Amino acid sequence: MARLKRSEVEPHEDYGFFGPGSVVWKVWGHPTAPTVGFQRAVVVEELDPPLVAAVHRTQGIYRRSRTRYDRTLRYFAMVAFAGSRQVCQAADVLVKVHSKAIGELPYGGGTYDANDPASQLWIQLTGWHSVLYAYERYGPGKLTEEEEREYWQACAVAAELQTCSPDDIPRSREGVRAYFDRMRPRLSASPIARQAMHHLLRSELVLPPTPRWARPAALAAAKTQRIATIATLPRWMREMAGIRQSRLLDVLVVPVMKTAFALARLNTGVELRLLERLSPSTVAVVAPVKLGIPPRIEDVLTPAQARARHGYPRPAEAHLEFRARQAARVFGDGKAPSDQGLIESQDILGPLA
């Protein structure tokens, strides 16, 4: 990637839902977020039986590892940094994308639906918790009490862009711990969960083709990130999933990652080039913030204000007829769900291939 010039960057329409000076920009704008933080999130998510059933059904993480990582990271980055219209549009089409991920649970009976509020709450909290945890462990350290309260309040704001209720989002570290304690008995390291977790820990799968001379360095970086991500997982979770790593590596990787991220932060161009390797479609979302390019309108909105301004329904109420047709195809007719939402999403969330 050539050096990105300010004149080449398209400004956002407005500041979206957070804006400069927010703790969201501070934490999600750190290079720990799209690397260890995001990888930890997608790995931990697989322990939820309905979620991993949806992941296994679509096979997206196996058939298109790089574009799946790219599109998912782009969405989370949009929520944090993009303009309100763009985020509302992405949240709306994501409901249609998720309508494809429905079916019968492979273990224990029952059904799964990626739009189910409980699954969306799990995704929301594992994502925001993992990004914060990586920031604290490999970045500047813990937030102040005031910043942490703001962070979890912001998480509730972001939840309004999912099908879950913001009322279910804990507003403190203790509340988040209590949520994960409640979830723990429901988690399962089934064969498909283990397969997905081990696959998602292979950081090299999301990298672009690398010249032969640079492959050793790229593989070393990917291996180091894997070690760093595993080091953030609690022991019980590793044992559950069959993930092994020594306590010595857990300790030794901390100064390595702290130094690497601190060096990356010294140069915005380096940060953006590293992001481009991981998630090329996310660069356009993050670049205006990193380069200090103001939006066309310096507004910070609530999701309700944004929906009223841009004409979108709440995600929980979006595309109900389309979702019903998908359910009828899968559960009534025994057919595969339509790809319509997935195809429509490419202009918003990035290409599928």
Side-chain angles (χ1 to χ4, degrees), residues 81-156:
F81 303 114
S84 61
R85 185 194 305 273
Q86 190 181 16
V87 180
C88 285
Q89 186 182 34
D92 187 75
V93 80
L94 194 61
V95 173
K96 297 186 77 170
V97 172
H98 284 158
S99 73
K100 176 181 170 63
I102 56 176
E104 304 284 343
L105 285 169
Y107 304 101
T111 62
Y112 64 87
D113 178 351
N115 277 315
D116 180 76
S119 287
Q120 290 290 298
L121 180 64
W122 171 251
I123 292 170
Q124 182 72 3
L125 286 175
T126 51
W128 280 65
H129 173 259
S130 293
V131 166
L132 178 58
Y133 191 12
Y135 176 89
E136 292 179 337
R137 188 177 181 92
Y138 302 121
K142 287 194 174 184
L143 301 177
T144 66
E145 290 185 12
E146 182 180 352
E147 286 176 325
E148 189 159 334
R149 283 193 297 271
E150 181 189 337
Y151 185 81
W152 292 115
Q153 180 60 44
C155 181

Side-chain angles (χ1 to χ4, degrees), residues 300-343:
V300 176
L301 306 179
T302 67
Q305 289 170 332
R307 287 193 295 269
R309 178 178 291 186
H310 306 306
Y312 286 94
R314 292 174 60 246
E317 300 165 356
H319 307 296
L320 295 180
E321 291 185 7
F322 180 75
R323 292 166 62 184
R325 291 198 301 272
Q326 291 281 59
R329 283 175 64 96
V330 173
F331 299 117
D333 302 335
K335 297 179 180 178
S338 165
D339 285 336
Q340 180 182 335
L342 198 62
I343 294 168

Side-chain angles (χ1 to χ4, degrees), residues 150-186:
E150 181 189 337
Y151 185 81
W152 292 115
Q153 180 60 44
C155 181
V157 170
E160 294 190 52
L161 302 159
Q162 309 291 113
T163 58
C164 55
S165 170
D167 295 338
D168 293 331
I169 299 291
R171 299 305 202 275
S172 67
R173 185 182 297 261
E174 292 72 24
V176 174
R177 286 174 179 159
Y179 168 80
F180 285 118
D181 286 343
R182 291 194 302 272
M183 285 296 296
R184 185 169 172 179
R186 308 177 199 177

Side-chain angles (χ1 to χ4, degrees), residues 21 31 42-43 72 78-79 90 100 134 141 147 151 156 164 171 176-177 183 187 190 204 253 263:
V42 296
V43 169
T72 308
M78 287 171 72
V79 172
K100 176 181 170 63
E147 286 176 325
Y151 185 81
C164 55
R171 299 305 202 275
V176 174
R177 286 174 179 159
M183 285 296 296
L187 304 181
S190 63
E204 68 275 11
V253 77
L263 290 173

Side-chain angles (χ1 to χ4, degrees), residues 3-76:
R3 182 180 177 84
L4 193 63
K5 299 177 181 178
R6 287 174 59 91
S7 60
E8 298 172 341
V9 175
E10 184 75 15
H12 291 309
E13 184 174 350
D14 52 44
Y15 279 130
F17 306 113
F18 305 109
S22 67
V23 72
V24 172
W25 280 26
K26 177 178 179 178
V27 174
W28 283 81
H30 197 275
T32 50
T35 52
V36 176
F38 192 69
Q39 184 177 44
R40 183 189 193 276
V42 296
V43 169
V44 172
E45 285 173 2
E46 308 307 322
L47 288 172
D48 179 54
L51 184 141
V52 77
V55 168
H56 187 75
R57 169 68 178 79
T58 62
Q59 290 288 298
I61 66 170
Y62 303 110
R63 293 201 305 259
R64 45 186 181 85
S65 299
R66 177 163 165 78
T67 54
R68 176 64 181 265
Y69 196 93
D70 183 37
R71 284 163 53 88
T72 308
L73 182 56
R74 175 179 168 86
Y75 174 76
F76 274 96

